């Protein structure tokens, strides 16, 4: 019997949280290899040489095979039969719809939510410099253009992003959007469909969703049940 994969991650990282939830929902055993990004553990030469040449998380080691990038990891483990089909379909038509979202979100929802988070919360923490209101407004506007698409296109007439039930697309998207809580942005105020959808995603993924987002809840001061 082969050893479980080694999963290198930090729950501060959005895609790390997504894979953590997916692995737990899939009942897939893995070895916890937590990497403290805040301490720069990923920036050492040993990490680059031994763990991940790109010096990022998440990544996995599977019996000597090293793989980075969250969607590549997802597809690799799905091909090995580790991810159930209701989360990531094998039938090409259903899979392509999930892949459509994963490809769309990377340079749209993920990028703009992450840049808003970095501008409002992370960079001031690291540098001690406060961004201008104009800069914050610019990144908020870029982010909300993509949140508009989620609200008006992806969730149009559906309970979940790609159909009637939860898939990995929902988990990846929810983890990106939840990150903005730490930048004092409450997506629930302006987007009623996203608000209801996030509630469904959380209910479908718990208890693992709340475990993965414990740090987000703590830093933002807004627990999962917080009222508007």
């Amino acid at each position: 019997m082969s050893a479980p994969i080694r999963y290198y991650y930090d729950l501060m990282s959005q895609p790390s949280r997504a894979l953590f939830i997916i692995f737990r929902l899939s009942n897939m055993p893995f070895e916890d290899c937590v990497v403290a990004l805040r301490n720069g553990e990923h920036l050492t030469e040993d990490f680059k040489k031994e763990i991940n040449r790109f010096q990022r998380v998440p990544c996995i080691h599977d019996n000597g095979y090293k793989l980075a990038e969250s969607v590549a990891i997802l597809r690799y483990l799905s091909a090995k039969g580790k991810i159930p089909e209701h989360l990531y379909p094998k039938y090409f038509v259903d899979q392509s719809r999930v892949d459509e979202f994963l490809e769309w979100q990377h340079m749209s929802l993920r990028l703009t939510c992450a840049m808003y988070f970095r501008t409002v919360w992370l960079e001031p923490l690291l540098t001690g410099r406060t961004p201008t209101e104009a800069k914050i407004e610019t990144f908020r506007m870029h982010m909300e253009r993509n949140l508009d698409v989620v609200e008006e296109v992806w969730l149009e007439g559906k309970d979940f992003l790609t159909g009637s039930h939860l898939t990995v697309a929902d988990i990846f998207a929810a983890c990106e959007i939840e990150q903005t809580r730490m930048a004092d942005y409450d997506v629930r105020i302006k987007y009623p469909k996203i608000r209801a959808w996030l509630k469904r995603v959380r209910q479908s993924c718990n208890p693992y969703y709340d475990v993965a987002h414990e740090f987000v809840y703590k830093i933002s001061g807004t627990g999962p049940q917080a009222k508007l």
Side-chain angles (χ1 to χ4, degrees), residues 78-96:
S78 172
K80 292 191 69 173
K82 302 293 186 180
I83 309 297
E85 289 192 46
H86 68 271
L87 288 178
Y88 188 65
K90 290 192 180 295
Y91 177 54
F92 72 97
V93 173
D94 296 334
Q95 185 182 99
S96 67

Side-chain angles (χ1 to χ4, degrees), residues 6 18 30 56 72 83 102 129 134 139 147 171 209 211 224-225:
R6 304 187 73 186
F30 61 88
R56 297 174 182 173
I83 309 297
L102 294 176
R129 293 193 294 269
F139 282 108
L147 291 171
I171 299 171
Y209 192 91
V211 171
Q225 302 288 3

